[in-house]
Amino acid sequence: KPKAIVIGAGIAGIASAIRLSIKGYDVDVFEAGSKAGGKLGEIKMNGFRFDAGPSLFTMPHYVDELFKLAGKNPGDYFKYTKLKEVCRYFYEDGLRLNATSDLDRFAKEIEEKTHSTAAEVYRYLKKSKTIYEVTHRVFLERSLHKLKSYLHWDTLRSIFRFGQIDAFRTQARANQSFFKDKRITQLFNRYATYNGSDPYQAPATLNVIPHFEYHFGAFIPENGMYGIVQALLKLAEELGIRFNYNQKVEEILYNKEGKPKVKGVKVNDRSYQADVVVSNLDIWFTYKNLLTGIAEPKKLLTQERSSSAMIFYWGMDGHYSDLGLHNIFFAEDYQKEFNAIWKDKTISSDPTIYINITSKQLRTDAPAGSENWFVMINVPANSGQNWDQLIKEARANMIKKISRMLNRNIEKDIICEQVLDPRSIESKTGSYQGSLYGNSSNNQFSAFLRHANFSSKIKNLYFCGGSVHPGGGIPLALLSAKIIDDDISSVVH
Ligand code: FAD
């Protein structure tokens, strides 16, 4: 059997390992940490369970696809339900909106409670759909770096429609033209943060993101987000894939005579041979730490990183009936918040706060009479800020804001706490500067052109995960594995 090694057991690493195994490879995964999942991890504390990173699950069919490829019934491994209520939005002026998966209801609520109309919402989401139709095959599902991708008829057709993807104005500017009410513009501007970008700089092409949520839907896995990892691990182990934990890869080995070809990896000074190597690391660390004697793609590696996050995991005594599974407490001045993050590299005193409470749906995630709050704000990537000070200030501002907007002193209900910041995101998941999604998409170039999924210098070396093409977030990370899979069939034999 040909041999494959995957470096890193993040979601894309696990998916790549499964795909390679199904292709007939004997697969070993080397993971630096003691568990699989990477950013998609979980935290347990005082009887509470928290999903550590991602909380919004979209495009579940990309997960199901892996079970189907292996000839299994996805439902035997992995169950999830579609959310009826996608998100609750709270504004400082007292406005509250419930985004429901029933779009007519949501549009009607917007019309009844704001100066915007249902027609504005439909027009906007129609545009979102068009952008999806034009971009998904070209930018998401295929390599942008292979000539053969451009020879597909549907790619060519998409290229003729590029004028429709709204790449030449910012998302915020575009959204202003869709909605009369500034608060609805703000609601849809927030989607830029789904890949760690700034709506006041990023191209309006990012308006594709709401299509994932409003057309395909938002979901919750039966065992929480970490349940995605558990289900895929079960499949991977059944396929005979070996997971080697606490094994940090030190070097990618390749043939230095003749045309470079990958040979394997070095772990703890020991060499492991392989015909194919897939790196699931942040591409920055792959070049800086694992590859020697190979020219770096300087332009890509020096690009601005996506934003990071500060997260408070709070075990809360009591029930908050105003809150649902996903909740957003908007900043009063959104542009000021993004200027603080992107220009001043700090945190605004009034940040938009996201609260995810899985125990609203998964009762065992919190002890009786309590709730598990994942409370997150967007923050800049780490460039040496005084994070201890910023955590102290942000915590106080967040508690004040949530208490004010819910009209209830929340601080007295916090019974246990953990904090994650850009420093710990980097040290725990190997993400350079703690950025959540690799490079930012704040300009057209960076939005579309990430590092390829294969090495142009070393044969049979591949790259997957949120820092390479097609981008960050679970669905795109899973697509990176699929693109590699499509390519490998034609490369190794
Ligand atoms: P990663 O998760 O980056 O894992 C890489 C793995 O490689 C890690 O396990 C690491 O330990 C390992 N590793 C590193 N160095 C080495 C080495 N030298 N040798 C061996 N192993 C090594 N996405 C969504 O879809 N929805 C969301 O709601 C969402 N919210 C998020 C919130 C937060 C706070 C965070 C952190 C992320 C969020 N994301 C979200 C993004 C999503 O988590 C990531 O895009 C995705 O999980 C990235 O997966 P990956 O395959 O790139 O691997």
Side-chain angles (χ1 to χ4, degrees):
K1 258 192 179 182
K3 183 133 188 47
I5 287 178
V6 177
I7 311 171
I11 185 76
I14 302 172
S16 300
I18 290 172
R19 287 178 175 276
L20 285 164
S21 172
I22 294 169
K23 259 206 155 77
Y25 283 84
D26 181 37
V27 185
D28 263 288
V29 180
F30 289 94
E31 165 54 51
S34 58
K35 278 170 94 178
K39 294 185 189 70
L40 182 45
E42 81 176 341
I43 292 175
K44 288 185 174 160
M45 152 175 73
N46 297 31
F48 293 90
R49 193 200 71 86
F50 300 86
D51 284 311
S55 53
L56 180 69
F57 185 37
T58 54
M59 312 295 266
H61 53 279
Y62 290 146
V63 178
D64 287 346
E65 188 180 1
L66 294 166
F67 298 104
K68 288 186 190 153
L69 263 181
K72 312 278 186 186
N73 172 21
D76 293 344
Y77 292 78
F78 181 53
K79 293 192 177 65
Y80 50 84
T81 41
K82 187 168 176 183
L83 300 178
K84 289 202 175 74
E85 179 185 272
V86 180
C87 189
R88 295 188 188 183
Y89 294 99
F90 299 77
Y91 296 81
E92 285 278 3
D93 65 2
L95 173 68
R96 291 183 179 192
L97 293 171
N98 271 11
T100 48
S101 61
D102 176 347
L103 192 58
D104 293 337
R105 204 170 128 194
F106 182 39
K108 190 161 167 254
E109 187 176 340
I110 286 181
E111 180 153 311
E112 281 169 4
K113 293 187 176 171
T114 76
H115 308 301
S116 275
T117 60
E120 287 173 21
V121 177
Y122 292 125
R123 207 177 120 242
Y124 171 82
L125 288 175
K126 192 167 163 230
K127 179 71 184 176
S128 180
K129 180 168 183 252
T130 303
I131 301 175
Y132 175 78
E133 284 169 358
V134 179
T135 54
H136 77 112
R137 287 209 203 289
V138 189
F139 289 118
L140 304 182
E141 290 164 17
R142 292 203 183 111
S143 174
L144 276 180
H145 310 80
K146 295 259 173 185
L147 181 63
K148 70 173 186 197
S149 300
Y150 297 93
L151 301 177
H152 282 276
W153 170 235
D154 52 10
T155 310
L156 289 173
R157 212 167 32 201
S158 292
I159 289 170
F160 289 129
R161 293 177 68 193
F162 268 5
Q164 298 175 321
I165 69 172
D166 224 349
F168 298 105
R169 55 178 176 169
T170 66
Q171 188 186 39
R173 184 160 290 253
N175 291 353
Q176 223 175 11
S177 73
F178 279 105
F179 300 107
K180 278 201 282 295
D181 195 305
K182 278 195 329 220
R183 295 164 301 180
I184 307 306
T185 305
Q186 182 174 27
L187 190 152
F188 287 105
N189 280 351
R190 197 178 76 86
Y191 285 93
T193 66
Y194 277 37
N195 75 0
S197 304
D198 173 357
Y200 299 93
Q201 295 185 60
T205 313
L206 295 196
N207 277 333
V208 67
I209 300 172
H211 186 68
F212 288 72
E213 218 171 272
Y214 290 102
H215 177 76
F216 294 103
F219 300 82
I220 182 164
E222 190 181 71
N223 297 319
M225 295 299 282
Y226 196 64
I228 304 172
V229 174
Q230 288 166 325
L232 290 177
L233 280 186
K234 183 163 181 262
L235 172 66
E237 277 154 17
E238 281 173 18
L239 289 170
I241 297 167
R242 289 174 298 275
F243 284 82
N244 306 280
Y245 295 109
N246 301 308
Q247 302 285 318
K248 187 170 180 173
V249 172
E250 290 146 4
E251 194 180 341
I252 294 172
L253 305 169
Y254 59 93
N255 219 329
K256 292 194 173 123
E257 299 91 45
K259 183 161 170 32
K261 188 171 173 197
V262 87
K263 276 197 322 199
V265 299
K266 195 163 93 187
V267 186
N268 290 329
D269 268 336
R270 203 179 138 191
S271 298
Y272 295 85
Q273 305 297 313
D275 303 287
V276 167
V277 171
V278 179
S279 174
N280 179 211
L281 261 63
D282 188 317
I283 191 73
W284 199 90
F285 282 117
T286 302
Y287 276 101
K288 298 287 176 189
N289 294 348
L290 302 190
L291 284 170
T292 52
I294 285 288
E296 290 173 6
K298 280 208 181 64
K299 198 165 174 192
L300 274 170
L301 297 191
T302 50
Q303 256 172 43
E304 181 182 54
R305 300 289 289 182
S306 68
S307 55
S308 185
M310 184 181 289
I311 304 151
F312 296 88
Y313 306 89
W314 287 334
M316 298 294 283
D317 189 15
H319 275 301
Y320 284 70
S321 54
D322 288 358
L323 300 180
L325 175 67
H326 299 289
N327 311 273
I328 291 288
F329 291 77
F330 273 121
E332 208 158 14
D333 186 339
Y334 215 27
Q335 185 147 19
K336 187 170 158 218
E337 176 182 2
F338 286 98
N339 284 345
I341 296 174
W342 293 99
K343 297 206 166 72
D344 305 333
K345 313 278 181 225
T346 187
I347 305 173
S348 144
S349 55
D350 178 28
T352 295
I353 303 169
Y354 166 60
I355 307 181
N356 172 241
I357 310 173
T358 60
S359 63
K360 293 278 184 195
Q361 305 250 346
L362 313 172
R363 278 311 311 157
T364 55
D365 280 358
S370 50
E371 294 180 342
N372 65 340
W373 285 25
F374 164 111
V375 188
M376 178 181 134
I377 56 171
N378 293 309
V379 305
N382 182 22
S383 54
Q385 296 90 330
N386 182 349
W387 288 108
D388 292 334
Q389 182 62 25
L390 288 174
I391 288 171
K392 223 166 93 188
E393 288 167 10
R395 186 181 188 278
N397 287 334
M398 289 159 77
I399 288 175
K400 226 165 51 197
K401 182 178 175 81
I402 303 166
S403 298
R404 181 175 63 239
M405 292 173 78
L406 290 180
N407 201 15
R408 177 167 167 181
N409 173 6
I410 64 157
E411 189 164 24
K412 64 169 182 27
D413 290 338
I414 303 173
I415 46 182
C416 55
E417 170 178 274
Q418 276 190 39
V419 189
L420 202 68
D421 65 61
R423 294 167 306 183
S424 40
I425 293 175
E426 172 164 333
S427 64
K428 285 188 175 157
T429 73
S431 181
Y432 178 53
Q433 295 182 343
S435 71
L436 304 190
Y437 304 96
N439 288 339
S440 82
S441 298
N442 283 346
N443 64 53
Q444 290 100 329
F445 175 73
S446 58
F448 304 120
L449 267 192
R450 290 168 170 256
H451 196 288
N453 301 107
F454 62 92
S455 166
S456 55
K457 308 248 165 50
I458 303 174
K459 197 167 182 286
N460 296 347
L461 172 61
Y462 292 88
F463 309 107
C464 66
S467 69
V468 295
H469 180 70
I474 296 168
L476 301 196
L478 288 169
L479 281 176
S480 69
K482 188 175 163 127
I483 292 170
I484 290 176
D485 189 2
D486 290 346
D487 200 46
I488 285 184
S489 54
S490 58
V491 174
V492 183
H493 276 301

